[in-house]
Amino acid sequence: MIVGVGIDVVDVARFMATLARVPQLRERLFTPAERDLPDASLAARFAAKEAIAKALGAPPGMSWQDATVRRVIGAQPVVEVTGTVAARADALGVARFHLSISHDAGIASAMVVAERDV
């Protein structure tokens, strides 16, 4: 059963300009494993985190550090949640996330479906 759906779109150049202007934002938004990705991939990870938050109802107090997107070669990306994001997912009964991310022509996008077992 679908608990929530989230989608987000990010302008890569604008996002990277924001990170350049506010350097501490990179550490606040991304886990160590994500921080050194290429620009388009970093923007796509941000879009994914936004989409995850939206799928969970975007409650206040969730930490960006508590959601990580891992690339799996030959498969769809994997969402790993801990802390505040895991707590919200557990409260909603979310058993799994389905994530699709893409980036092209200066735009990064992500779509997430949060699903629970029936």
Side-chain angles (χ1 to χ4, degrees):
M1 172 184 280
I2 294 175
V3 174
V5 176
I7 189 168
D8 198 64
V9 178
V10 174
D11 180 295
V12 176
R14 187 171 137 201
F15 180 71
M16 296 313 295
T18 300
L19 288 182
R21 201 172 51 254
V22 187
Q24 65 272 27
L25 200 53
R26 185 180 297 255
E27 288 185 14
R28 191 172 127 221
L29 296 176
F30 300 105
T31 63
E34 298 170 318
R35 289 182 193 145
D36 295 324
L37 291 169
D39 293 357
S41 294
L42 201 60
R45 293 308 188 279
F46 179 72
K49 290 174 186 235
E50 281 280 340
I52 291 164
K54 290 173 183 176
L56 295 175
M62 286 197 319
S63 170
W64 297 102
Q65 292 284 325
D66 291 343
T68 301
V69 176
R70 300 237 186 256
R71 180 173 180 242
V72 178
I73 296 176
Q76 69 186 73
V78 174
V79 174
E80 294 176 358
V81 296
T82 59
T84 58
V85 179
R88 176 63 177 175
D90 288 346
L92 295 174
V94 174
R96 69 196 61 77
F97 291 96
H98 304 277
L99 169 64
S100 178
I101 56 177
S102 185
H103 46 79
D104 187 36
I107 300 293
S109 62
M111 192 277 239
V112 170
V113 175
E115 181 185 17
R116 75 171 162 226
D117 294 329
V118 178

